[in-house]
Amino acid sequence: MKKVAIIMGSDSDWPILKPAYEILKEFEIDAEILVDYAHRNPNTVRNFVLNSEKQGIKILIAGAGAAAHLPGVIASYTTLPVIGVPISSSVLKGLDALLSIVQMPSGIPVATMAIDGGKNAGLFALSILSVEDKMIADKLTEFRENQIKQVEEKNTAIQLNL
């Protein structure tokens, strides 16, 4: 089974990244979770990332707030896709994290989601995996079709109550 790693700098980031984990599980994709800190424990992060490909990990999702170095540090150690999730954990409400992740220097890309966009990080990981896996692609298509149905049902409910 294809694996995705979800790495966060603090356990307080879990509520933001848990939706990524949940959508991956819904699609029956294994996800490994790591709580670690790029600044306080850089060797653990480095070793995890350097060994991730050998462990079957295909994509790394990294959530970070404030200076948000974790996604960039991870991307510097691997050519695997890295998806950054800026977290609104500071007085700047995630804008600092967003800018830190999205402004990576040329040559070290990090795909950047919206502030607190954990679920979209999981969906983007699934989109990447779907390029080579028709079953995931089919499930994503069904997921999107169900979203359309839900919107139509909500519209109908509102229209009936006018």
Side-chain angles (χ1 to χ4, degrees):
M1 185 164 300
K2 297 175 181 359
K3 283 181 21 180
V4 175
I6 300 173
I7 306 169
M8 62 204 85
S10 170
D11 61 344
S12 64
D13 300 339
W14 180 239
I16 303 302
L17 295 169
K18 186 176 180 185
Y21 177 80
E22 290 171 341
I23 196 74
L24 292 167
K25 285 297 174 194
E26 185 179 322
F27 280 70
E28 300 176 6
I29 301 299
D30 283 338
E32 188 164 340
I33 309 299
L34 176 68
V35 177
D36 219 323
Y37 200 89
H39 297 107
R40 294 186 186 127
N41 202 10
N43 288 330
T44 303
V45 171
R46 180 180 181 275
N47 290 336
F48 179 85
V49 174
L50 290 175
N51 290 305
S52 61
E53 202 166 348
K54 293 176 203 159
Q55 302 300 319
I57 292 170
K58 305 291 185 196
I59 300 165
L60 299 123
I61 296 171
H69 292 127
L70 185 60
V73 167
I74 289 169
S76 75
Y77 294 129
T78 185
T79 58
L80 292 173
V82 176
I83 303 168
V85 180
I87 296 177
S88 60
S89 62
S90 71
V91 295
L92 295 176
K93 299 185 184 338
L95 184 58
D96 48 349
L98 173 66
L99 294 174
S100 293
I101 298 170
V102 81
Q103 288 295 117
M104 285 297 298
S106 180
I108 308 293
V110 174
T112 308
M113 299 295 109
I115 296 169
D116 295 340
K119 184 173 183 178
N120 270 355
L123 287 165
F124 190 64
L126 290 166
S127 293
I128 294 169
L129 294 171
S130 76
V131 170
E132 293 187 353
D133 190 317
K134 184 165 174 20
M135 190 163 44
I136 295 172
D138 291 344
K139 283 184 175 182
L140 269 174
T141 299
E142 182 180 337
F143 177 84
R144 296 239 178 132
E145 288 169 354
N146 285 336
Q147 285 183 314
I148 292 168
K149 287 178 189 171
Q150 290 171 2
V151 169
E152 290 170 347
E153 289 169 1
K154 290 175 183 181
N155 179 52
T156 301
I158 292 290
Q159 298 305 319
L160 291 173
N161 289 311
L162 291 177

